[in-house]
C-alpha cells in the first residue's frame, strides 16, 4: 500500500519549487508566448520549464511512476501511481500578471485520486489534501461552505477557448445568474476548486476541463467536505465538474440542468476559403 503522506510531501515540495519558478518568470520582458488549441489558448516557455521541473523531480525519487502533464508528458509507469500535473494552470492570468494562476500536482493511486496539492503563488497559499486526511491551506484545516440556500450562493465558473463553446456557456450563465447571489470567474480551475474548499466561494462548476485541470483540486475540495461530481450522479470528468456543499449540490445541479449546462457544445465551424482562393 502506498504511503500517501510520503506522496503528499513529494507533491508539496515540487509544487512549491515550480511556484518559485513561476514567480521568477512573472513579468519577464522576454517571456515567450505561443498558442495551442485556439488564438486565445496561451502557452509560455515558463509552462514548459515548470513541467520539466516537476517531471524531473518526480522521476528522481519515483522513477517507475506514471506521469500525465498538460504540456505533453505521458509516461505509463508500472507502480500503480500516476502523477497528474498542471505546471501552470491559468496561463492567461500569468501572461497578464493577473492573480488566479497556480501549480497543480495530484497523485492517482490504482485509479483513485488520492493526493492533491495546489500552490497559488500570488496569494502565497499551499493547498494540500490526501485521501482520508482532510484538506489544509498552509497547514491549517479548511472546510467548504455550509450554505444551503441557492439564492445566496457565490458561484465560480470558467469558459472554454472555442468561440461557439463560450457562447453556449454564456447562455447557460444567463439562466443561472438570476437564481444565485453572484458569479466569479478567476480563470483557473485548480484555484476555483480550492476556493470552494476553503469557502472563498460557495460552489464551482465548469465543463470541458482536462484531467490536469481538476485532479488535485477535486481531492482538496472533497477532503474539505464538498461534494464533487457531474450533474447526473457520476464522477467529475471533462464532461462536467460541479463542486458544492452537500446541501447545495442538488439544487445547483438541477438549476444547471434546466439551463442546459450538460448539452453538447456546438460543432466548431470551419473557416470558409478565402474568396478567389484556388
Amino acid at each position: 500500500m502506498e504511503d500517501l503522506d510520503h506522496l503528499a510531501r513529494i507533491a508539496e515540495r515540487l509544487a512549491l519549487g515550480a511556484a518559485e519558478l513561476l514567480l521568477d518568470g512573472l513579468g519577464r520582458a522576454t517571456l515567450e508566448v505561443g498558442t495551442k488549441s485556439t488564438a486565445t489558448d496561451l502557452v509560455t516557455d515558463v509552462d514548459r520549464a515548470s513541467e520539466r521541473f516537476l517531471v524531473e523531480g518526480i522521476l528522481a525519487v519515483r522513477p517507475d511512476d506514471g506521469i500525465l502533464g498538460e504540456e505533453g508528458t505521458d509516461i505509463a509507469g508500472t507502480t500503480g501511481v500516476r502523477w497528474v500535473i498542471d505546471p501552470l494552470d491559468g496561463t492567461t492570468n500569468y501572461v497578464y500578471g493577473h492573480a488566479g494562476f497556480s501549480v497543480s500536482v495530484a497523485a492517482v493511486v490504482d485509479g483513485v485520486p488520492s493526493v492533491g496539492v495546489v500552490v497559488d503563488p500570488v496569494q502565497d497559499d499551499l493547498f494540500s489534501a490526501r485521501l482520508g486526511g482532510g484538506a489544509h491551506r498552509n497547514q491549517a484545516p479548511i472546510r467548504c461552505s455550509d450554505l444551503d440556500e441557492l439564492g445566496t450562493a457565490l458561484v465560480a465558473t470558467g469558459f472554454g477557448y472555442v468561440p461557439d463553446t463560450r457562447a453556449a456557456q454564456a447562455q447557460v450563465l444567463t439562466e443561472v445568474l438570476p437564481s444565485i447571489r453572484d458569479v466569479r470567474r478567476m480563470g483557473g480551475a485548480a484555484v476555483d476548486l480550492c476556493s470552494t474548499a476553503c469557502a472563498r466561494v460557495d460552489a464551482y462548476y465548469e465543463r470541458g476541463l482536462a484531467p490536469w485541470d481538476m485532479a488535485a483540486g477535486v481531492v482538496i475540495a472533497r477532503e474539505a467536505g464538498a461534494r464533487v461530481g457531474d450533474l447526473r450522479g457520476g464522477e467529475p470528468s471533462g464532461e462536467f465538474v460541479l463542486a458544492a456543499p452537500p446541501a447545495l449540490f442538488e439544487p445547483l445541479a438541477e438549476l444547471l440542468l434546466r439551463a442546459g449546462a450538460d448539452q453538447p457544445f456546438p460543432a466548431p465551424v470551419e473557416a470558409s476559403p478565402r474568396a478567389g482562393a484556388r
Side-chain angles (χ1 to χ4, degrees):
M1 180 178 294
E2 290 292 341
D3 182 344
L4 298 186
D5 287 330
H6 175 63
L7 297 181
R9 287 192 294 271
I10 294 171
E12 289 178 10
R13 175 175 58 82
L14 293 176
L16 286 167
E20 285 296 321
L21 190 155
L22 299 190
L23 287 176
D24 288 345
L26 191 63
R28 176 161 49 86
T30 57
L31 187 68
E32 296 177 11
V33 182
T35 60
K36 295 191 288 188
S37 61
T38 71
T40 56
D41 185 7
L42 301 180
V43 64
T44 72
D45 57 329
V46 178
D47 291 74
R48 299 184 179 102
S50 178
E51 181 149 314
R52 285 194 301 273
F53 174 87
L54 293 171
V55 170
E56 290 171 2
I58 292 167
L59 294 178
V61 293
R62 296 187 60 93
D64 299 317
D65 286 355
I67 308 176
L68 178 66
E70 182 179 15
E71 303 311 325
T73 302
D74 192 353
I75 299 170
T78 59
T79 64
V81 175
R82 191 184 201 198
W83 300 86
V84 184
I85 60 175
D86 194 334
L88 174 46
D89 185 49
T91 299
T92 300
N93 286 6
Y94 184 78
V95 169
Y96 279 79
H98 194 287
F101 61 86
S102 65
V103 178
S104 176
V105 179
V108 179
V109 181
D110 296 327
V112 178
S114 300
V115 169
V117 171
V118 173
V119 176
D120 177 344
V122 173
Q123 296 284 351
D124 197 23
D125 279 336
L126 166 66
F127 293 94
S128 61
R130 64 165 180 79
L131 199 62
H136 299 79
R137 181 181 70 212
N138 300 328
Q139 311 307 320
I142 54 175
R143 294 291 294 177
C144 69
S145 161
D146 60 0
L147 188 72
D148 60 3
E149 294 185 14
L150 186 61
T152 57
L154 183 63
V155 180
T157 191
F159 304 100
Y161 292 109
V162 177
D164 288 345
T165 295
R166 288 181 168 185
Q169 290 170 319
Q171 184 59 45
V172 168
L173 193 57
T174 66
E175 300 294 324
V176 170
L177 191 53
S179 298
I180 62 175
R181 182 189 298 277
D182 207 346
V183 68
R184 292 292 181 268
R185 194 278 200 266
M186 283 299 293
V191 167
D192 282 337
L193 283 161
C194 291
S195 292
T196 303
C198 70
R200 283 177 176 161
V201 297
D202 295 304
Y204 162 71
Y205 77 89
E206 191 164 351
R207 188 170 178 204
L209 296 180
W212 45 78
D213 295 319
M214 60 182 173
V218 165
V219 178
I220 294 164
R222 281 179 166 165
E223 287 297 319
R227 180 176 169 186
V228 188
D230 66 11
L231 295 181
R232 299 183 182 274
E235 287 294 303
S237 71
E239 287 300 309
F240 212 91
V241 177
L242 171 61
L248 194 64
F249 188 96
E250 291 295 344
L252 184 51
E254 291 171 6
L255 173 61
L256 288 162
L257 284 168
R258 290 197 303 271
D262 67 338
Q263 296 303 302
F265 289 139
V269 177
E270 293 186 8
S272 57
R274 289 181 294 120
R278 298 176 180 234

